[in-house]
Amino acid sequence: MLDADFFRRWMTVAAVSMDREADRLTALDSPIGDADHGSNLQRGFAAVRTVLEKEAPDTPGGVLALAGRQLISTVGGASGPLYGTLLRRTGKALGDAAEVSEEQLAEALRAGVDGVRTLGGAAPGDKTMVDALVPAVDALADGFTAARSAAEQGAEATTPLQARKGRASYLGERSIGHQDPGATSSALLIAALAEAADGAEG
Ligand code: ADP
Ligand code: MG
């Protein structure tokens, strides 16, 4: 079972990863965006870490809902409300249980990804974070490591796509040939989940 500590660890590992990879995410956002994706998520997840330490929610749902609210209020770009919705909706779906199973998390994350799709209007293949998140949620039934690989493959598979949503879509065909920054950060978020799970087992 996964408790609030597990979810706090997920957010902490994600914050460390966004900080470490900020330059790479911003570099990906240069040719097909406005070069702020790395700094957006670095700032957002640092704020998540701070608020989780301060308020210390004691349920999995509470941790994710607070993290989501914090991302929405600290990240100005498109990705703030989208990641904020992902975490808030996932947290809401987990309810106020003190511990949740992996199956419950997989189901809740599916609700979170549906929230992202509703808010942003993106479908798989539109070259967005959805292209990493949907395969990750599909693979979660096979475990965290499978979800991580699926998200990474999904992110890499955005390179030949033409963007149909977000800032990159303004470039039309010129968006082809670049990996999507948001799909890349989503793969980092799922990798952080797998890493948090490794910590729980070991
Ligand atoms: P902004 O585009 O406002 O500068 P960011 O650079 O932080 O925001 O985030 C860009 C990423 O957000 C994109 O790479 C893409 O993955 C994601 N994104 C943008 N618009 C949408 C959308 N409508 N639906 C899903 N994801 C989106
Ligand atoms: Mg940007």
Side-chain angles (χ1 to χ4, degrees):
M1 293 294 275
L2 310 168
D3 60 8
D5 274 347
F6 170 85
F7 286 86
R8 257 195 294 275
R9 195 160 60 243
W10 177 17
M11 292 297 107
T12 303
V13 175
V16 170
S17 172
M18 298 302 172
D19 187 54
R20 192 177 51 221
E21 301 293 328
D23 288 349
R24 180 165 74 102
L25 294 174
T26 287
L28 289 172
D29 196 32
S30 301
I32 59 168
D34 57 353
D36 65 354
H37 192 58
S39 49
N40 280 343
L41 294 188
Q42 188 177 36
R43 186 175 67 252
F45 277 91
V48 164
R49 227 179 142 168
T50 304
V51 79
L52 288 178
E53 275 163 24
K54 196 169 139 233
E55 296 191 21
D58 56 3
T59 62
V63 169
L64 293 188
L66 179 61
R69 284 202 302 277
Q70 189 72 349
L71 285 179
I72 291 169
S73 61
T74 51
V75 179
S79 62
L82 290 164
Y83 276 125
T85 297
L86 174 71
L87 297 181
R88 270 182 61 184
R89 284 287 298 272
T90 303
K92 205 173 160 196
L94 291 175
D96 55 12
E99 295 188 326
V100 300
S101 65
E102 282 184 35
E103 292 71 28
Q104 283 170 313
L105 172 58
E107 214 173 287
L109 209 50
R110 169 92 57 197
V113 174
D114 286 346
V116 170
R117 293 179 65 167
T118 303
L119 177 65
D126 287 348
K127 198 181 179 95
T128 71
M129 58 176 70
V130 168
D131 289 317
L133 293 173
V134 166
V137 166
D138 287 344
L140 204 50
D142 298 324
F144 292 116
T145 307
R148 173 191 190 144
S149 305
E152 282 163 2
Q153 281 168 29
E156 283 167 18
T158 61
T159 302
L161 299 176
Q162 178 173 336
R164 283 194 288 256
K165 289 287 168 195
R167 218 177 265 283
S169 67
Y170 308 156
L171 291 176
E173 288 183 359
R174 282 180 296 138
S175 64
I176 293 171
H178 304 279
Q179 186 167 318
D180 180 62
T184 308
S185 57
S186 285
L188 293 177
L189 184 64
I190 302 299
L193 178 62
E195 215 178 294
D198 276 350
E201 285 154 18

